[in-house]
Amino acid sequence: MTVTTIERFILDNQPAYASGELTNLLYDLALAAKIIAHKTNRAGLIDILGEAGAINVQGESQQKLDIYANQIMRQLCDHTGRLCLMISEEQEDPIHIPERYRKGSYVLVFDPLDGSSNIDVNVSIGTIFGIYRCLDEAQRGRLEDALQPPGDLVAAGYVLYGASTMMVYSAGNGVHGFTLNPEYGEFLLSHPNLVLPEPPAYFSVNSSYYSRWSPGVQQFVDWLQGREADSPRLSARYIGSLVADFHRNLLRGGIFCYPAEDERDEGKLRLLYEAGPLAFLIDQAGGYASNGRRPILEITPTQPHQRTALFIGNRGLVERLEAFIRQDDGASTQ
Ligand code: AHM
Ligand code: MG
């Protein structure tokens, strides 16, 4: 039996253009994942649960673990000379590399701990990250360096803190999953070359919001739920943690939906560090991500914390949603 560590795999599979900087950045992220996993696994044992009292830029209360995860990501990445800028869900402003450190060629966008409503009920949560190349390496990081369409990502991935901890990433050459062996503290290759299975097994949507959706989305969810003659045979699964819902559907096939709503016409999820990196991964796994009208990979963000509707999974299902929206919702400016 061959055992491949994540370090070995990243090194052996680094893209031809990578000089080692990207490789080392992925190592840094694997280390951050181990540290955050260690803390989340002990969350019920130490007095860390509950809200820290702060409100994040989305107007939502932060949990202590969110703040911890954000600090770990920052501290492990700000002084290495590999990054020119970071954007975090937990910080309103871009995170610049302090002048005293050398700056590098990459931009890191991340949600340090997603699924905050699940933290203190011991349900799976995750970290999401994306890596862009700096647009102008001559300058220190600028916001424009981060506001690139997800199709220009050079790598993306997530860490799932579940029954086991997994890190799944792609640097543009397939999607590969690693499971943390807690005894050695190593991520070991467990899921090479992940490809979305057909036929898909699941659909995932919070249907308590049904009355707030457009007619096209309502028709589509009716179709998913088996109400039409040509409905697919899918089972419903919804955790409320994007990484966990995405991961299950990646392994079993399916679609995850977080539509726009009447009073929230851009949906809830963030384009830059939630929808974008997962859109990059699903594309690498043979699937497709859309905002209902156009591919997520083609949307250029205008603000770091911009939201988007998200439909992501097996291509046939997402394209069917787009057809319902075209048919029932008419033209849009999106
Ligand atoms: P968060 O960034 O505050 O953690 O919110 C994002 C989470 C996602 O993980 C999940 O897909 C979604 O919110 C669930 O929202 P809802 O509870 O409205 O279904
Ligand atoms: Mg989030």
Side-chain angles (χ1 to χ4, degrees):
M1 186 185 67
T2 312
V3 176
T4 307
T5 63
I6 197 167
E7 283 80 6
R8 181 79 242 168
F9 187 91
I10 291 169
L11 187 64
D12 289 348
N13 292 277
Q14 65 181 343
Y17 60 78
S19 60
E21 216 174 312
L22 179 63
T23 301
N24 287 322
L25 176 54
L26 289 165
Y27 292 169
D28 297 340
L29 294 171
L31 177 60
K34 287 186 223 176
I35 296 171
I36 296 167
H38 179 73
K39 194 78 161 185
T40 55
N41 287 342
R42 296 171 68 242
L45 299 172
I46 47 178
D47 183 27
I48 193 148
L49 294 182
E51 297 175 2
I55 302 288
N56 74 8
V57 288
Q58 323 298 336
E60 299 150 347
S61 54
Q62 291 185 46
Q63 307 285 334
K64 283 181 182 172
L65 273 176
D66 301 24
I67 297 168
Y68 177 80
N70 188 50
Q71 277 169 358
I72 292 295
M73 297 283 284
R74 268 188 81 151
Q75 284 167 5
L76 287 182
C77 296
D78 71 356
H79 63 283
T80 57
R82 314 192 222 289
L83 295 179
C84 64
L85 195 74
M86 289 184 263
I87 302 277
S88 164
E89 174 175 336
E90 296 299 341
Q91 294 192 225
E92 178 146 23
D93 296 323
I95 304 165
H96 292 276
I97 304 304
E99 292 283 343
R100 62 185 181 279
Y101 301 131
R102 196 165 60 80
K103 82 161 195 70
S105 329
Y106 292 99
V107 180
L108 177 66
V109 297
F110 62 98
D111 184 347
L113 211 52
D114 183 67
S116 47
S117 69
N118 281 325
I119 292 177
D120 56 3
V121 290
N122 199 11
V123 171
S124 298
I125 45 183
T127 297
I128 308 171
F129 63 87
I131 300 170
Y132 290 101
R133 222 188 321 259
C134 231
L135 293 174
D136 181 356
E137 299 202 11
Q139 305 203 43
R140 286 197 87 79
R142 300 158 307 147
L143 181 57
E144 298 92 283
D145 292 311
L147 298 181
Q148 302 188 51
D152 289 350
L153 282 161
V154 294
Y158 60 82
V159 185
L160 171 63
Y161 311 101
S164 13
T165 299
M166 283 195 69
M167 180 159 163
V168 176
Y169 89 97
S170 175
N173 189 15
V175 181
H176 311 287
F178 302 80
T179 303
L180 183 65
N181 180 326
E183 283 165 35
Y184 324 139
E186 288 281 8
F187 279 108
L188 304 179
L189 180 63
S190 53
H191 297 71
N193 293 310
L194 282 165
V195 174
L196 272 170
E198 290 281 359
Y202 297 123
F203 73 93
S204 314
V205 64
N206 187 340
S207 50
S208 66
Y209 303 139
Y210 187 92
S211 62
R212 307 179 199 165
W213 296 334
S214 69
V217 172
Q218 289 179 334
Q219 297 283 337
F220 175 65
V221 174
D222 288 346
W223 177 78
L224 285 177
Q225 287 176 332
R227 297 208 171 92
E228 308 297 332
D230 64 343
S231 286
R233 288 169 165 269
L234 299 175
S235 201
R237 291 284 188 284
Y238 190 77
I239 296 169
S241 275
L242 179 58
V243 170
D245 280 310
F246 178 88
H247 182 74
R248 181 202 53 245
N249 291 0
L250 175 62
L251 296 190
R252 298 282 177 262
I255 182 168
F256 172 92
C257 313
Y258 208 113
E261 296 163 16
D262 280 349
E263 309 225 322
R264 198 155 60 167
D265 58 6
E266 291 194 307
K268 175 184 183 185
L269 300 174
R270 270 63 70 157
L271 174 60
L272 196 57
Y273 42 75
E274 293 179 330
L278 298 185
F280 180 85
L281 290 173
I282 212 77
D283 178 65
Q284 286 288 316
Y288 175 49
S290 169
N291 71 353
R293 302 263 181 193
R294 53 191 290 226
I296 295 285
L297 290 181
E298 293 177 7
I299 305 174
T300 304
T302 54
Q303 300 166 39
H305 300 290
Q306 177 173 335
R307 298 176 192 263
T308 180
L310 176 64
F311 303 89
I312 187 165
N314 287 65
R315 178 170 285 277
L317 294 173
V318 180
E319 287 182 345
R320 190 67 194 253
L321 169 274
E322 288 183 325
F324 272 105
I325 286 190
R326 271 196 306 273
Q327 181 189 303
D328 296 326
D329 295 349
S332 155
T333 50
Q334 278 188 347

